[in-house]
Amino acid sequence: MTDPVPELADRAAACADRLLDADRVLLASHIDADGLTSAAIAAQALERAAIPFETVFEKQLDQDAIADIAATDYDTVLFTDFGSGQLEIIGEHEDAGAFTPVIADHHQPADRDTEFHLNPLLFGIDGASELSGAGASYVLARALADTADRSAELCSDGGMVTASGATDVRADNRDLAALAVVGAVGDMQASGGELHGANEKIVAEGVEAGVLETGKDLALYGKQTRPLPKLLEYATDVHIPGISNDENGALRFLDGLDLELKRDGEWRRWSGLTNDEKQTVASALVKRAVSTGVPATKIDQLVSTAYVLPEEPVGTELRDASEFSTLLNATARYERADVGLGVCLGDRDGALERARKLLRNHRRNLSEGIDLVTREGVTHEDHLQWFHAGDEIRETIVGIVAGMAMGNEGISRSKPILAFAEKSAEGDAAENGQEVKVSSRGTHTLVRQGLDLSTVMGEASRAVGGDGGGHNVAAGATVPKGKEDAFIERADEIVGEQLS
């Protein structure tokens, strides 16, 4: 078998061997789109390898959550999309004999290490832009299939070996590449409009396996599901005067095209247009952008690489990797990780309908959150900007709101943004109102200039008695209530040092 990411092959094989040696496994994962896809990939790989397992999700892998995991009677715990940054706490339980950890993660590792630790950062691969948690889980899944079936004539899921010795795409887990791409896109790794590095190799395997299609397309969110006027009105990443955030303007623009863009009185969707119709709309959009003074560098951003799941129906959220990831975020961030996992595992009935209901609620909450932040404004420090949402925005989505609000009036894209929110009642500190959640978002341009929000959030939070971490472009922390000002002061200093 060709390894999807050769640099990780040996470590992935060692992790796979450990899982195969286990009588059963506790699978623990994070609650965002990357965490859900990571768990779904691992769950299918474990099932196909005939390894009994149970799945749990954690909003935050803190000391209490790890203690709860240690209190179970599982001897082997597989952590996906988290674990690396919590290795000091995990290691204490490992030393005490509570469990053996196997970690497939892409976040910044703690100083301590462990034997079965699969993380691209340990091998010179950027975990913020080149391989997501779902990507690490996919690499492990491919190794698990190879290790389990190395000398077998029949695959563990019944897939037959062909005369050439190759197995079908389910048997070697290449069909799971689609979920890995959904996770990477959901983790904002498609910088510059496409996936890079190790992610590209996973995309290639997905295309070869027939579970992915790629191509250049309009870089607008909602190409599968939004009616054309809404697709253009809500396209704000590249602001086109007279169309973006302008309902009547978007309608006038479409009415001015010599195309039949309605069927039976209903606006068509981008996914239902012919290639010629798409070209006509895209060309007119570019002409409008040029005529209204949109910079050429911004106009170039109107086109990106689309990642399509061809086995899913046209016009559904599941066919587009970006829309799929948003659907997943709408589940676990509202305490329904089981629903998101069900969708990833193929439930197209009950789980999908529940996910769509949660998505409608999620979109409403995001819209209200963005309106709140734009209306109330942000506070600008020398090197960053911030707002405190209190209990008006859920802690699980305040980071998404912050990132989406960047570029709105009064909210700069030239500074990282920090967003505070009250933590929900979970654990003693949160229950007593002693902790505050803070999320941060940057841009890939700022990262190229030296920004590393993982360091900012980690160092600034620990300076005030909290803890945090994440990626260079997006990170989070928990800080003691009342220490927000001191945290901001230290974070501003660190950002200034990074960008100087």
Side-chain angles (χ1 to χ4, degrees):
M1 178 189 80
T2 302
D3 297 301
V5 186
E7 299 92 329
L8 305 184
D10 290 344
R11 183 65 58 86
C15 292
D17 284 336
R18 182 62 187 85
L19 292 172
L20 287 166
D21 286 341
D23 292 329
R24 57 192 189 127
V25 171
L26 180 63
L27 168 60
S29 197
H30 194 217
I31 64 165
D32 61 3
D34 195 25
L36 282 168
T37 48
S38 297
I41 291 166
Q44 292 180 83
L46 290 168
E47 183 175 5
R48 293 172 185 181
I51 301 170
F53 69 96
E54 178 185 354
T55 307
V56 297
F57 290 93
E58 297 290 349
K59 179 168 59 179
Q60 185 174 340
L61 191 63
D62 55 18
Q63 190 165 343
D64 291 339
I66 296 170
D68 289 342
I69 289 172
T72 68
D73 55 359
Y74 283 88
D75 294 329
T76 303
V77 180
L78 171 58
F79 295 93
T80 60
D81 195 37
F82 55 21
S84 293
Q86 298 80 21
L87 262 170
E88 291 179 357
I89 303 171
I90 290 172
E92 293 175 3
H93 292 283
E94 181 182 14
D95 291 343
F99 59 80
T100 298
V102 179
I103 298 172
D105 192 11
H106 66 135
H107 294 91
Q108 190 66 43
D111 290 337
R112 172 169 178 150
D113 204 359
T114 189
E115 183 177 0
F116 306 110
H117 186 194
L118 183 64
N119 187 314
L121 289 163
L122 301 176
F123 300 91
I125 297 172
D126 191 341
S129 62
E130 295 184 295
L131 194 71
S132 69
S137 190
Y138 176 77
V139 171
L140 176 59
R142 294 278 278 120
L144 196 57
D146 184 48
T147 303
D149 298 333
R150 192 174 295 141
S151 59
E153 282 201 7
L154 286 177
C155 301
S156 61
D157 69 340
M160 291 295 296
V161 175
T162 65
S164 65
T167 60
D168 64 55
V169 296
R170 265 188 99 246
D172 64 10
N173 288 333
R174 281 185 297 144
D175 62 315
L176 303 179
L179 285 175
V181 169
V182 171
V185 170
D187 214 49
M188 304 187 300
Q189 297 205 357
S191 62
E194 62 183 351
L195 294 171
H196 303 277
N199 282 320
E200 285 185 282
K201 299 175 183 178
I202 296 176
V203 169
E205 290 207 343
V207 171
E208 183 182 342
V211 295
L212 275 176
E213 292 177 357
T214 67
K216 294 298 180 182
D217 203 348
L218 209 58
L220 304 183
Y221 176 85
K223 294 191 293 290
Q224 291 292 327
T225 60
R226 282 179 173 166
L228 283 169
K230 293 301 179 186
L231 178 73
L232 299 182
E233 178 191 348
Y234 294 152
T236 56
D237 283 348
V238 179
H239 185 85
I240 302 176
I243 296 177
S244 302
N245 287 326
D246 188 338
E247 181 179 4
N248 291 328
L251 289 169
R252 286 193 298 270
F253 170 79
L254 291 169
D255 285 338
L257 302 178
D258 187 22
L259 294 174
E260 183 188 352
L261 297 179
K262 283 187 177 180
R263 291 275 168 84
D264 299 323
E266 298 290 331
W267 284 100
R268 295 165 67 191
R269 288 161 171 74
W270 183 263
S271 58
L273 301 183
T274 66
N275 287 336
D276 286 343
E277 289 171 330
K278 289 180 180 179
Q279 186 61 50
T280 298
V281 176
S283 296
L285 204 59
V286 170
K287 287 179 182 177
R288 172 65 68 86
V290 171
S291 68
T292 54
V294 177
T297 53
K298 281 287 187 181
I299 293 174
D300 289 342
Q301 295 174 24
L302 283 170
V303 176
S304 68
T305 299
Y307 298 96
V308 175
L309 282 66
E311 296 180 343
E312 301 294 347
V314 174
T316 67
E317 305 91 340
L318 305 181
R319 191 172 174 88
D320 176 84
S322 183
E323 293 192 62
F324 196 154
S325 69
T326 299
L327 182 76
L328 296 179
N329 271 326
T331 62
R333 291 183 186 273
Y334 296 86
E335 289 80 49
R336 292 307 308 268
D338 59 311
V339 173
L341 182 61
V343 172
C344 289
L345 295 177
D347 185 341
R348 297 295 177 263
D349 296 317
L352 181 56
E353 284 308 308
R354 287 192 292 274
R356 284 174 170 156
K357 288 181 181 178
L358 289 164
L359 178 60
R360 289 192 287 271
N361 177 61
H362 180 55
R363 284 174 172 159
R364 182 170 58 251
N365 288 340
L366 290 178
S367 177
E368 291 173 354
I370 294 167
D371 288 345
L372 173 70
V373 175
T374 304
R375 183 176 66 251
E376 298 293 330
V378 300
T379 301
H380 285 269
E381 306 295 339
D382 290 338
H383 307 290
L384 59 79
Q385 58 197 327
W386 63 274
F387 67 89
H388 201 312
D391 60 1
E392 295 191 68
I393 301 177
R394 291 175 66 99
E395 60 160 310
T396 54
I397 67 168
V398 72
I400 301 175
V401 169
M404 293 178 72
M406 292 179 77
N408 285 6
E409 186 176 355
I411 306 172
S412 176
R413 289 187 63 83
S414 300
K415 293 179 178 180
I417 186 168
L418 271 58
F420 294 90
E422 302 288 349
K423 284 182 67 69
S424 59
E426 188 175 289
D428 293 340
E431 233 174 88
N432 296 329
Q434 297 172 6
E435 292 180 338
V436 177
K437 169 70 180 294
V438 54
S439 296
S440 62
R441 294 292 186 272
T443 66
H444 290 288
T445 299
L446 288 170
V447 168
R448 286 192 290 272
Q449 294 171 3
L451 179 70
D452 183 353
L453 288 174
S454 177
T455 298
V456 173
M457 299 298 274
E459 291 187 7
S461 62
R462 286 189 285 274
V464 299
D467 198 15
H471 300 300
N472 51 21
V473 74
T478 299
V479 299
K481 194 168 187 177
K483 296 288 188 179
E484 292 96 327
D485 288 345
F487 171 83
I488 292 167
E489 182 178 356
R490 181 63 187 128
D492 191 52
E493 290 174 358
I494 300 170
V495 173
E497 292 167 1
Q498 291 179 346
L499 298 181
S500 61

